[in-house]
């Protein structure tokens, strides 16, 4: 076996936060224009991949990474273990595009809560592409690779790029940004979940002027030319916070309890339901966690400079 083609790799697939997220008009392809600041965080799934002559298998194992509010099984039902899992979808599309006959055996250790706005499925898809690239020593042409990523989901191109980036278009047009310094955040995940497609449909129904979108878009574009701080990016707001419907009181209550516990101004990530707040540089995370009142699962995360990290095993 050549040194360039390992038989087994382990990939860390990192979750993301949307420090800010503005939503524009629906386009003719059904997607919405976005302006968002993505940030990779240390909460991650782990994907182990082993080269096989043909065919794909996937085993999913759930691990609880919450520092408080552990609920065994939470989110489990939202992660498909079969052909619908993005790991398998990504790997199968990769071999088809690359013209390969080989396969892989995957084990996915799932820690990122699903359907919470943390980009877990997208991170897994990006990890599968990184694993297949390493196992087969095959690189797709850049255009082919970007189209494959975007076809798997709007957040997959960012999951593959990682770090800090401004996302435009449907989220796939990425402009890397300077990292906003070493930051930690407390992420709270309620037991209720949000359907992203339904949240976008709510935005379509709600009244929101195009002037507001243009202002937000200009603000986001200017971030690329400034010394970025997390608080500055968070001033973009999150449009999904305004279309929560009957979940609004739960969201408001969670934000109030996070503020009382001592985190910075809370913000929803993606279309929710996870909410995060920054921890002050010298704040004791355990003191904040002790002060928090509620059943939500809590995660302490730090900002990272990459989205996937691959290790080759002998
Ligand atoms: O691309 P992704 O699979 O993440 O999108 C999930 C759903 O969210 C899409 O089917 C679409 O309804 C909606 N969406 C959108 N505009 C975007 C991203 C997603 O309308 N920019």
């Amino acid at each position: 076996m050549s040194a360039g083609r390992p038989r087994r790799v382990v990939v860390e697939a990192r979750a993301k936060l949307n420090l800010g997220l503005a939503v524009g008009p629906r386009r003719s392809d059904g997607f919405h224009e976005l302006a968002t600041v993505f940030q990779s965080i240390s909460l991650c799934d782990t994907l182990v991949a082993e080269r096989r002559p043909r065919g794909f298998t996937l085993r999913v194992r759930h691990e609880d990474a919450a520092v408080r509010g552990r609920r065994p099984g939470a989110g489990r039902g939202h992660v498909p273990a079969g052909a619908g899992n993005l790991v398998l979808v990504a790997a199968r599309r990769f071999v088809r595009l690359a013209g390969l006959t080989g396969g892989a055996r995957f084990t996915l250790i799932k820690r990122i809560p699903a359907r919470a706005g943390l980009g877990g499925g997208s991170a897994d898809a990006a990890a599968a592409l990184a694993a297949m690239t390493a196992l087969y020593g095959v690189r797709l042409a850049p255009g082919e690779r970007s189209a494959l990523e975007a076809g798997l989901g709007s957040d997959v191109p960012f999951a593959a790029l990682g770090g800090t980036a401004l996302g435009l278009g449907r989220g796939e047009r990425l402009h890397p940004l300077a990292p906003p310094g070493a930051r930690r955040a407390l992420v709270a995940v309620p037991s209720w979940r949000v359907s992203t497609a339904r949240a976008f449909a709510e935005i379509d129904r709600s009244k929101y002027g195009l002037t507001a979108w243009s202002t937000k878009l200009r603000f986001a574009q200017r971030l690329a030319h400034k010394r970025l701080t997390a608080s500055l990016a968070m001033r973009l707001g999150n449009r999904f916070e305004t279309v929560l419907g009957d979940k609004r009181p739960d969201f408001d209550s969670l934000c109030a309890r996070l503020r009382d516990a001592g985190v910075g101004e809370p913000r929803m990530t993606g279309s929710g339901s996870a909410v995060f707040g920054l921890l002050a540089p010298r704040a004791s995370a355990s003191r904040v966690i002790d002060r928090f009142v509620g059943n939500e699962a809590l995660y302490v995360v730090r900002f990272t400079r990459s989205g996937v990290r691959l290790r080759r095993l002998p």
Side-chain angles (χ1 to χ4, degrees), residues 99-147:
L100 297 168
T101 47
R105 183 162 74 183
F106 291 109
T107 305
L108 177 65
I109 303 163
K110 197 75 210 150
R111 301 185 196 86
I112 307 171
R115 290 184 59 208
L118 292 165
S122 302
D124 299 341
L129 296 182
M132 293 301 290
T133 304
L135 291 179
Y136 286 93
V138 174
R139 282 191 182 282
L140 301 175
E144 238 178 0
R145 169 103 191 190
S146 324

Side-chain angles (χ1 to χ4, degrees), residues 26 30-34 122 150 152-155 169-171 196-197 200:
R26 182 187 278 271
F31 287 93
H32 292 73
E33 288 293 324
L34 298 183
S122 302
L152 288 162
S154 304
D155 290 342
R170 53 178 270 228
T196 302
F200 274 109

Side-chain angles (χ1 to χ4, degrees), residues 9-32:
V9 294
V10 178
V11 192
E12 269 184 25
R14 289 181 175 140
K16 57 85 179 161
L17 296 175
N18 297 92
L19 297 180
L21 173 53
V23 180
R26 182 187 278 271
R27 316 187 310 195
S28 55
D29 63 3
F31 287 93
H32 292 73

Side-chain angles (χ1 to χ4, degrees), residues 1-9 49-52 131 134-137 311-314:
M1 185 201 322
S2 80
R5 274 185 70 201
R7 199 174 58 83
R8 234 154 54 101
V9 294
E50 193 177 323
R51 185 149 33 89
R52 309 285 281 177
L135 291 179
Y136 286 93
R311 252 181 327 123
R312 292 150 184 262
L313 296 181

